Amino acid sequence: MRKFSIFTVIFTFVALILGNLVVATESGDACGTDWPFCNGSLIPAFTDYHVVIEYSHRIFTTMLGLVILINAVGAYIKNRQSKAVRRLSILSFGLLILQSVIGGLNVLLGTPPGFSTFDVMFSQLLLLTMVLLSYSLHESESPVEPHHREAVAMSYKAFTLGFVFYIFQTVLGAFFKHSRASNVMLDLPAHEYLIKSESIANVVYSLHWVATVIVFVGALWFLIYSMKFRYHLPLAWLYFIFILLNAAIGIMIVVTKNTVLMSSIHMIVSTMTMVIGGSILGGYWFKLKKRKMNI
Ligand code: HEM
């Protein structure tokens, strides 16, 4: 089950990247609104690349549903003695249902402006849950020396504060994009806007900046503390570098006036950061046994 849980994390990650490709190439409507069919048939005519992308995304996400279901049931049955495994497998199953309903509704409603924010939010939470579930199955305690406990407790606080803002930041970023506030702000034309006012668009943009600063400070604070006890050092560096990368690519989007490529890289990098952050959280919860240490 352990190897399968890692496979599930990778599978979920690829599904999210494919979803990003659908948005980037504007292929969301290529199969029409008759989900689960594609333009009225189970195997559509592959007339253009939009159909290929949207259809592969549909097939892949259907397979993902199966993979997550097997993972959740398998983990639950084989590790039912662990409360964390039980809770996380139920949560992963619940999020899968929610994600399928949101994804299906999005297609049936013809991708209304702003709605894809929910898609991004639940898919990122699903990915995070898969990482945590995998960690809970790999549970093997790492001893922490007593004189390091204070540093561990401080680093945990720094990390969770920054990471909670990080999750908020991804949802805000998705809202910024899918409400088309980013287009209004950059004076770009779009078919449909949810946010039409430039001043509201600027408020969303400013919040995206404020959250960037908080996430950056959290990551730096976490890095400094993890240097003191060394357990999470490579992941702390990776997390910090990826936060910087997110910000740098965000700036590039503005400089290049929102090219599809830059916007996609921004999303891919932030999805990778979610996996790194989930691994750090999993480390605290299941390897350092934070509760046992009273932190
Ligand atoms: C920790 C730092 C950051 C994170 C985690 C982050 C994350 C995100 C995410 C997840 C999206 C939605 C992408 C999508 O749904 O495809 C987004 C959108 C966006 N972000 Fe960021 N962001 C960060 C910092 C920044 C910064 C510093 C800027 C620029 C000054 C920026 C500019 C943008 C823009 C312009 C969009 C909209 C892109 C579009 O309309 O295609 N981001 N961000």
Side-chain angles (χ1 to χ4, degrees):
M1 225 43 239
R2 291 179 181 181
K3 281 189 185 146
F4 193 78
S5 74
I6 297 175
F7 169 73
T8 312
V9 171
I10 298 169
F11 211 92
T12 313
F13 180 79
V14 176
L16 262 64
I17 301 302
L18 256 180
N20 180 258
L21 197 64
V22 171
V23 177
T25 56
E26 294 182 359
S27 306
D29 297 331
C31 278
T33 54
D34 51 352
W35 186 85
F37 297 104
C38 185
N39 294 326
S41 54
L42 212 54
I43 299 169
F46 294 110
T47 41
D48 74 318
Y49 74 94
H50 290 106
V51 177
V52 178
I53 292 174
E54 174 59 8
Y55 188 68
S56 355
H57 181 240
R58 286 186 183 194
I59 299 279
F60 203 84
T61 45
T62 308
M63 279 171 12
L64 175 70
L66 205 67
V67 169
I68 289 181
L69 186 67
I70 296 170
N71 189 48
V73 173
Y76 192 101
I77 292 173
K78 286 205 166 176
N79 299 270
R80 68 175 78 210
Q81 71 287 355
S82 159
K83 201 170 166 188
V85 173
R86 285 200 311 271
R87 283 184 178 170
L88 287 166
S89 32
I90 292 172
L91 182 65
S92 72
F93 183 65
L95 282 172
L96 171 68
I97 306 272
L98 210 60
Q99 175 67 33
S100 319
V101 171
I102 301 267
L105 264 179
N106 205 4
V107 173
L108 291 173
L109 297 173
T111 49
F115 198 86
S116 298
T117 309
F118 294 112
D119 232 324
V120 173
M121 180 166 89
F122 288 110
S123 58
Q124 293 286 324
L125 287 178
L126 184 65
L127 179 64
L128 179 61
T129 308
M130 297 332 298
V131 174
L132 290 174
L133 178 56
S134 179
Y135 254 87
S136 68
L137 295 171
H138 285 80
E139 213 166 337
S140 62
E141 228 169 302
S142 284
V144 175
E145 290 167 32
H147 64 278
H148 277 153
R149 283 189 183 172
E150 205 184 322
V152 175
M154 281 309 287
S155 71
Y156 179 69
K157 277 183 197 144
F159 173 72
T160 42
L161 176 84
F163 195 53
V164 165
F165 270 93
Y166 180 80
I167 295 171
F168 166 76
Q169 171 77 321
T170 41
V171 178
L172 184 72
F175 179 70
F176 187 35
K177 175 173 182 158
H178 298 292
S179 67
R180 307 279 160 92
S182 52
N183 288 13
V184 177
M185 197 198 82
L186 293 167
D187 290 329
L188 292 174
H191 313 297
E192 287 170 305
Y193 288 142
L194 186 69
I195 289 183
K196 297 185 177 79
S197 139
E198 196 163 332
S199 48
I200 298 179
N202 274 316
V203 170
V204 181
Y205 181 53
S206 306
L207 281 177
H208 203 50
W209 260 112
V210 172
T212 302
V213 173
I214 298 173
V215 169
F216 170 77
V217 171
L220 185 65
W221 184 19
F222 166 60
L223 180 64
I224 292 168
Y225 270 100
S226 52
M227 278 175 177
K228 292 193 177 182
F229 78 109
R230 303 196 155 259
Y231 169 69
H232 263 326
L233 206 50
L235 278 175
W237 270 111
L238 210 60
Y239 182 65
F240 182 69
I241 291 169
F242 268 74
I243 295 295
L244 288 181
L245 218 57
N246 270 309
I249 295 163
I251 294 169
M252 287 298 286
I253 301 179
V254 179
V255 171
T256 59
K257 289 222 169 264
N258 206 352
T259 56
V260 170
L261 180 68
M262 280 301 154
S263 174
S264 287
I265 297 177
H266 198 45
M267 186 67 214
I268 293 168
V269 170
S270 63
T271 306
M272 288 165 94
T273 317
M274 189 63 83
V275 175
I276 299 167
S279 308
I280 295 169
L281 199 61
Y284 278 116
W285 286 0
F286 305 113
K287 282 193 178 287
L288 293 183
K289 302 272 182 196
K290 75 170 185 63
R291 258 190 229 112
K292 256 195 214 170
M293 290 194 314
N294 234 0
I295 58 173

